[in-house]
Each structure stands twice: as C-alpha cells, then as structure tokens.
Amino acid sequence: MQFDQLALPEPLRKGIVEAEFTECTPIQELTLPLTLKGKDVAGQGQTGTGKTAAFLITLFNRLLTNTTVTGNHARALILAPTRELVVQIEHDARLLGMHCGFSIQAVYGGVDYARQREGLRQGADIIIATPGRLIDYLKQKVFSLSAVEMLVIDEADRMFDMGFIADLRFILRRLPPFDKRQNLLFSATLNHRVMELAYEFMNVPEKISVSGERITADAIEQVLYHVSRREKFPLLLGLLRRDSMTRTIIFTNTKREGEHLHARMNANGFPCRLISGDVAQEKRLRIMKAFKEGSLPILIATDVASRGLHIEGVTHVINYDLPEDREDYVHRIGRTARAGAKGKAISFADEIGALSLEDIEEYIRYKIPVEWPEEELFVSDFKRAAKPKHTTKPGKGTRAPRKRNRPVSR
C-alpha cells in the first residue's frame, strides 16, 4: 500500500512526501486503516519496521481533523521508556509534522529542566516524555492532561522491564476516560503483562502482529562464534580488520566491561565511544549525533541503547557479551537492517554467555548459525590496556576503615 492511497490532510501528506516515505511497511499497512478510523490498536512488530511512523501519522491525522479544540492544554501524549527513544520520536515527529503547525515538547531527564518546564507551562500540543520527569512536572501542576485526545505508549514491555509500570499507571489515571481518547500501544514484543495493561487502559484494542514465523528480521544475517573469554578481543580485532564495518554497535552487558573494551579498542587503532546509563545526557546526545553522522564509526553500548533508536546505515551489531535477557537479543540485533536495509549480527558465546544461548534460541525459535573462525583470524599483536579502576565509596556497599588511636608519646 502506498501512502498516497490514504485519505490524509494535505499538511500531513506534504510532510510524508518530504520525509521520502512512499510505500507502507507491513505494520503500517495493517494498522493505519484501523487507527485512521479512530480504532485503538496494540501493535507488535519486529524492531525497525516503522512503528513510530504508524503512530505519528495517526496522531497528526487526528489532531488535524478535530477542529473543535478549546483551551491551551496538551492534546496528545506519547510515553517512551528511555531518553534516547524520546529524542528519536521527537525528531521523527518534527519531520513528519513540519507543515502541521503543532507545538511539540520533549520531556526527559538529564537536561533542560527549566526550559522543559517553561515549554509545558506555555502549552504544547504534543508531549513526548519519559514517565519520571513528566510526573515531576505533573505534581508541580505545571500543566494538565485533562484535554488529551490521543495517547501513545511505545515499547510498553520495556516499561515493565525498567520498573516504570507504577509511574505509567499514575499518569494514565490523570487522562480523560479511555473511551474519550484514542489509544495506541506499540512494542517489539507483546506479552501477557503488556496486554493486561492494554485491556485496562484502552478501549477494546485490536491486537496486530506482523512477527510471523520469525521474531527477528529476515534481512539480518546472524552468526555465532563459540570462543573463550580470553579469545573474544583477539577475534573481535580480527573481524574488524577483515570486514568492512562502516558503522558498528558493540554491546556489552556491564558498564565496566564496556569501559575496558573502550580502552582496548582505542589503544589498538579503532576509535570508539561508550554510552551507558550513567553517561550525562548532553554527552550521550553528542556521541549519538557523531555516530549518526558517520564521524564516529564504532559505538560501544550497554542495553540502554538496544531499543527504539533508528540509526541509518548500521552495518554490523556485535554481541561482545550475549545478553542475559533473551528479548534483549532481538532488540540489540534490530539496530541493523532497518527500514529495508541489510545488516549482520555477530555474537560471541563465551563460558558465561553460552548459558543464555538455549533460552535465546528457544525464544527466537531457531538456532543461530555457528561459524568456527580460522586460527589466523585471532589477532595476537594487539596492545593491552589497563582495566578501569572502580573504587567503592564508604557507605556504598563497604564499611569505612576504622580509625585507630595512636599511642600518645609521653
């Protein structure tokens, strides 16, 4: 189905054309005929299949066609679990809605507290937010959700994983009744907990899934290497030297492992940066901007970056550590082969990671193809880098050393 087959308002149609969207993806083709008629939908699809555009087109269509609006309150609310995802949705919303004339306010922690507060106070048509910062402003009575006519919850399963469900319910109970607004829920996975939330806060939602037989995208070439922990870095260097990896994301399970890998990569001539949960937001945005623009070829990340980020042209994803959560495997490798492109996902299964492998393969419903690397692929002449030192402050899991009284000299 082509976008020009949809009966959309001219300002929205213009934004779609300028964003160079022509043909609907499967999830857009299934959901848009329903959502454009005002139907509530809980949509599931592989990551990178166009869920964001599906709900943004519906949102702009609803706001443009409803002209009986009074007051200066927010008309639409989009909730997402991470700051990176909020920033990405805001970018896409400004692109698709560039001719629609609506004010958009992103709300997330780490930056611009006063500016975000003022933007809400003045009145924004569309709010895109993480739950925590939004609740902060709600409790201050900076703005009201009483006029919201469109609700979108993105990556709802991640809301559960990150412990946001109580915050989510706090916000949803301050909206108009579910039958007085349109509600959309999109996620890469829809489990029992998510559907329970959908039936509680949505108006008889229709469940749409385009996962089919495979949970992961067909365009992703996957390969698994069984290696010892000591062999992972030599093999990684060998693969980077052999293959053309123009834009690569390497995932580690912990910040400490990421910091060590970051130091070793830079010491061996592979410039890279690291993002993790405690990297300052402004710094994280600068790193992501450099990676998207291509000046930074390699990004090392913990799972903070595994969901919701649409980065054009990611050629490779490398699971330096296999994830402990099987669903995170799907989200990680979904950073490549987005929007119809092809990509490659490489995973290392060491002594610890191999314990997660059976659960991952059970979840994706097939065996990840295994390759056995040639001996010459392992690099032996690499430079070593010291592991980052982590000190624990007194009161943070350790006891401060007890002071001893020195004997007084007489």
Side-chain angles (χ1 to χ4, degrees), residues 162-178:
M162 298 178 69
F164 285 147
I165 199 60
D167 290 345
L168 192 59
R169 283 193 161 94
F170 178 91
I171 295 167
L172 297 184
R173 288 177 181 135
R174 280 148 183 81
L175 297 174
F178 61 81

Side-chain angles (χ1 to χ4, degrees), residues 36 53 92 146 198 233 249 264 270 278 314 323 347:
L36 291 175
D92 293 345
S146 60
F233 186 68
I249 302 178
R264 299 172 87 184
F270 288 96
D278 58 353
V314 174
S347 298

Side-chain angles (χ1 to χ4, degrees), residues 95-223:
L95 179 66
L96 286 171
M98 66 178 77
H99 301 291
C100 295
F102 297 118
S103 57
I104 301 170
Q105 179 62 56
V107 177
Y108 54 91
V111 294
D112 297 336
Y113 187 92
R115 187 183 303 174
Q116 291 176 12
R117 188 180 189 277
E118 183 61 20
L120 291 174
R121 191 190 65 79
Q122 291 181 358
D125 296 307
I126 302 165
I127 299 173
I128 308 167
T130 55
R133 176 63 69 90
L134 190 70
I135 288 175
D136 190 3
Y137 295 130
L138 270 174
K139 289 182 175 180
Q140 296 179 43
K141 302 188 185 317
V142 173
F143 71 108
S144 170
L145 295 173
S146 60
V148 167
E149 55 192 274
M150 182 85 186
L151 168 71
V152 178
I153 302 174
D154 198 17
E155 298 290 5
D157 53 345
R158 190 64 164 170
M159 296 280 193
F160 280 94
D161 295 341
M162 298 178 69
F164 285 147
I165 199 60
D167 290 345
L168 192 59
R169 283 193 161 94
F170 178 91
I171 295 167
L172 297 184
R173 288 177 181 135
R174 280 148 183 81
L175 297 174
F178 61 81
D179 57 346
K180 301 296 183 184
R181 61 178 195 258
Q182 185 177 8
N183 308 279
L184 304 181
L185 182 150
F186 283 85
S187 179
T189 55
L190 290 178
N191 53 37
H192 175 73
R193 295 182 304 173
V194 172
M195 290 311 300
E196 191 176 65
L197 180 75
Y199 292 131
E200 181 180 356
F201 290 101
M202 299 175 73
N203 188 21
V204 194
E206 185 152 346
K207 185 176 178 180
I208 301 294
S209 174
V210 293
S211 292
E213 292 299 314
R214 292 170 68 95
I215 291 177
T216 55
D218 292 330
I220 304 174
E221 178 190 351
Q222 298 175 63
V223 60

Side-chain angles (χ1 to χ4, degrees), residues 44-75:
Q44 174 184 2
Q46 298 161 356
T47 184
T49 52
K51 298 188 296 293
T52 302
F55 66 67
L56 286 175
I57 289 171
T58 302
L59 185 152
F60 285 122
N61 177 75
R62 184 179 179 92
L63 299 193
L64 287 168
T65 53
N66 181 13
T67 57
T68 60
V69 179
T70 58
N72 194 30
H73 299 300
R75 299 180 61 193

Side-chain angles (χ1 to χ4, degrees), residues 1 4 21 31 36 40 75 81 92 98 107 151 162 168 183-184 277 311 335 375 380 390 395 408:
M1 185 171 71
D4 58 15
F21 288 3
T31 58
L36 291 175
D40 284 13
R75 299 180 61 193
D92 293 345
M98 66 178 77
V107 177
L151 168 71
M162 298 178 69
L168 192 59
N183 308 279
L184 304 181
I311 303 166
R335 297 312 98 208
E375 190 65 33
S380 59
H390 285 251
V408 179

